[in-house]
Amino acid sequence: MGLEAVVNEIREKGRKEVEAVRAETRTDVEEILKDAQTRAAGIKASAQEEADRAATHITNQEASAANLVVKRQALNAQKTLLDQVYSASLAAVGDLPAEFQEKALTALLKRAVKEIKKGVVHANERDTPVVEGILGQLKMFSGYTVGAPLDIPGGIIVESTDGELQIDYSYRTFLDEIWESGLKDASDILFT
């Protein structure tokens, strides 16, 4: 075997070793790339899931906030409407005919005389003459005098002579009692 044959054999052996190393390296590189791609896909999927969760959370928060604003506006509108109904009711009771006012004031005075035998009766300016007439007509009210008119929509306020006891039979007081007890029912009727 000649020198050239030995060189060729070494070259061929070197070439085969280089190819084997290259093939092994290619396989290692492919495995590393494949592993990196798998990890990258996992990271991307995880990031996408987290982004989707965050987006869903933000969307839910915004929807809740919007619902809260709408609900608050609806409740404010309902309160405004109920306040208007209250005011209109108070005005309507005060504007009832004179015959009704006289009957109502007489009934209220009869209730008051059971609790306060002697006292001062206050009414609004419109009803003061009616109260004077009622007090002058019935003997059971002889212990009562008419006091200064008050700014009330109707009804009476009776104060004992010594000033220690006061009974509020104004229409506002009665409406407030009815309003408090019937507010839920009225709200249900109006808004459902």
Side-chain angles (χ1 to χ4, degrees):
M1 200 189 252
L3 188 57
E4 206 172 295
V6 171
V7 170
N8 281 339
E9 190 177 313
I10 292 174
R11 249 190 230 161
E12 188 61 32
K13 192 175 183 184
R15 189 181 59 74
K16 284 183 181 178
E17 284 180 22
V18 167
E19 278 186 30
V21 169
R22 279 187 185 157
E24 188 178 320
T25 303
R26 237 182 274 122
T27 303
D28 288 346
V29 166
E30 285 174 6
E31 283 182 35
I32 291 169
L33 286 175
K34 190 176 184 182
D35 187 43
Q37 287 174 344
T38 302
R39 282 196 314 243
I43 292 169
K44 183 179 177 183
S46 177
Q48 184 64 43
E49 286 176 19
E50 184 61 32
D52 289 346
R53 269 195 301 274
T56 301
H57 180 70
I58 290 169
T59 302
N60 288 342
Q61 281 183 325
E62 291 299 318
S64 293
N67 286 336
L68 187 61
V69 167
V70 168
K71 189 171 188 173
R72 186 178 301 127
Q73 288 173 341
L75 288 173
N76 286 340
Q78 289 175 357
K79 183 185 180 319
T80 300
L81 182 59
L82 287 172
D83 289 345
Q84 290 172 353
V85 168
Y86 176 87
S87 297
S89 300
L90 198 55
V93 169
D95 291 341
L96 289 170
E99 309 85 52
F100 172 84
Q101 296 294 354
E102 186 174 346
K103 286 180 185 177
L105 292 171
T106 302
L108 293 174
L109 284 165
K110 285 180 179 179
R111 279 180 70 180
V113 81
K114 292 177 184 175
E115 296 180 49
I116 298 176
K117 301 298 180 200
K118 293 183 180 183
V120 179
V121 180
H122 300 278
N124 63 26
E125 199 169 324
R126 178 198 67 218
D127 293 337
T128 298
V130 177
V131 170
E132 286 174 345
I134 295 168
L135 294 181
Q137 288 174 0
L138 298 174
K139 189 174 182 177
M140 69 187 317
F141 303 129
S142 62
Y144 284 166
T145 59
V146 177
L150 297 177
D151 186 22
I152 57 176
I156 57 171
I157 295 178
V158 180
E159 205 175 329
S160 64
T161 314
D162 59 9
E164 289 187 17
L165 185 60
Q166 183 181 41
I167 300 173
D168 185 350
Y169 285 154
S170 66
Y171 293 166
R172 175 171 286 136
T173 300
F174 288 115
L175 183 59
D176 286 347
E177 288 175 13
I178 293 168
W179 196 255
E180 288 298 317
S181 66
L183 184 60
K184 183 182 179 339
D185 294 335
S187 182
D188 288 346
I189 290 168
L190 290 172
F191 304 118
T192 53

